[in-house]
Amino acid sequence: MNYSRTDRWAQFESLPRPLTGHFSTPPNLVFPGRHRHAWGQLSYATEGYLQVWTPDARFIALPQRGVWIPPGILHRVRRTSNAVVRSLYLDTQVFGLQWDHCCVLSISPLMHELIREFCTLPLDYDESGRHGRLVQVLVDQLSDCSEAGLILPWPSDPQLRRICLRMQHHPSTEFSLEDLSASLGVSTKTLTRRFQQETGLGFRLWRQRARLIHALPLLERGDRITDVALACGYESLSSFIAIFREHTGVTPGEFARGVFDT
């Protein structure tokens, strides 16, 4: 059976091969809204970057990072306007991959080249020849990928979700733990405990990550770094640069220029 790369993946009931590759560039694909599928997926941007949103978290995949999405997970993919996205779709049972949670994976230079090559193959590639051997190497490399990336866990508690939405929509506002606790009618100790239980992060670290995620599209469109720092609630430019580099591995200026370590 011949499959077109322009087909909507939602139309597939099963994969044409246990491992299937797909690539897209900005002019020729509109990502669907929230959806789920019966196979695992690795979304990887060889240019630009992407975000994967699930009900539980936001996963940010900068260059040299990919997002693993297990079967059955409701998700939405958001990407930059210049992103070139290459995705792997896997039958996890065939390959024995038991990853049951979304995560950001570190993509090695070898894995990068393997993904680029594999995603150029026809969907009905020959599994018994060299393409089948490439599949095995690719799966072996994927299984060795380590988790590393920017993740923003999202609370399920309605009160905490409202707080997180306020901080997400107003990143320059200095919401204090005391003010937010008072708005809920609980102690700061109680709010701190609930936040940790719901997100796995402390309040200040969660707010820090939310601000950095807000900074990414501003830097991408060319805003001055000083203006971005202020828009994200940082009065100190040096503090913003240091925190940005701690979480992403590059400075804001390097990110804006597309300079990333290999």
Side-chain angles (χ1 to χ4, degrees):
M1 181 175 184
N2 292 323
Y3 294 88
S4 168
R5 289 189 181 279
T6 60
D7 286 345
R8 290 288 186 97
W9 281 95
Q11 295 176 355
F12 286 104
E13 295 181 0
S14 61
L15 293 174
R17 293 288 186 269
L19 177 63
T20 300
H22 181 74
F23 73 91
S24 63
T25 54
N28 64 13
L29 183 78
V30 176
F31 277 111
R34 294 192 304 166
H35 63 286
R36 56 166 59 94
H37 32 65
W39 47 80
Q41 175 180 341
L42 178 72
S43 287
Y44 173 57
T46 55
E47 297 178 28
Y49 73 95
L50 59 84
Q51 300 186 33
V52 173
W53 289 37
T54 73
D56 299 323
R58 314 289 187 257
F59 301 85
I60 315 302
L62 301 178
Q64 288 97 50
R65 301 289 185 270
V67 180
W68 169 254
I69 307 164
I73 297 294
L74 186 67
H75 65 279
R76 180 177 183 180
V77 178
R78 295 185 173 188
R79 64 179 184 179
T80 56
S81 59
N82 67 331
V84 176
V85 178
R86 285 172 165 80
S87 296
L88 302 179
Y89 303 99
L90 302 92
D91 185 326
T92 54
Q93 293 184 344
V94 169
F95 295 111
L97 292 175
Q98 302 301 321
W99 300 339
D100 59 358
H101 66 284
C102 282
C103 58
V104 181
L105 299 175
S106 178
I107 304 298
S108 68
L110 175 57
M111 186 70 173
H112 171 90
E113 294 301 330
L114 289 170
I115 292 173
R116 282 172 55 91
E117 173 66 19
F118 182 75
C119 288
T120 64
L121 302 183
L123 297 182
D124 53 356
Y125 61 83
D126 180 10
E127 295 179 275
S128 62
R130 63 185 181 87
H131 293 160
R133 294 191 293 274
L134 177 60
V135 166
Q136 195 57 58
V137 174
L138 188 49
V139 173
D140 287 344
Q141 289 294 312
L142 177 60
S143 63
D144 286 338
C145 288
S146 59
E147 294 190 28
L150 188 56
I151 300 173
L152 187 68
W154 207 252
S156 58
D157 179 270
Q159 289 184 317
L160 294 186
R161 290 178 74 92
R162 285 195 292 270
I163 286 177
C164 289
L165 284 172
R166 287 174 62 188
M167 291 192 290
Q168 185 181 56
H169 293 159
H170 306 283
S172 63
T173 302
E174 187 61 36
F175 294 106
S176 71
L177 189 61
E178 290 74 19
D179 290 340
L180 294 174
S181 301
S183 70
L184 296 181
V186 299
S187 67
T188 57
K189 184 177 180 180
T190 296
L191 180 58
T192 299
R193 184 179 67 253
R194 286 172 59 185
F195 215 92
Q196 184 71 41
Q197 290 173 341
E198 286 276 331
T199 69
L201 300 177
F203 168 79
R204 288 177 177 79
L205 180 56
W206 193 98
R207 182 177 61 187
Q208 190 178 87
R209 290 190 184 183
R211 286 174 165 177
L212 292 178
I213 291 172
H214 180 77
L216 298 178
L218 305 183
L219 292 168
E220 185 196 11
R221 75 185 185 190
D223 288 12
R224 292 194 317 152
I225 296 175
T226 300
D227 294 337
V228 175
L230 292 173
C232 294
Y234 291 92
E235 296 181 0
S236 166
L237 179 59
S238 60
S239 177
F240 171 65
I241 293 174
I243 292 173
F244 191 95
R245 185 167 191 170
E246 177 185 347
H247 285 270
T248 67
V250 295
T251 67
E254 289 170 335
F255 173 84
R257 297 193 304 274
V259 177
F260 292 87
D261 295 332
T262 57

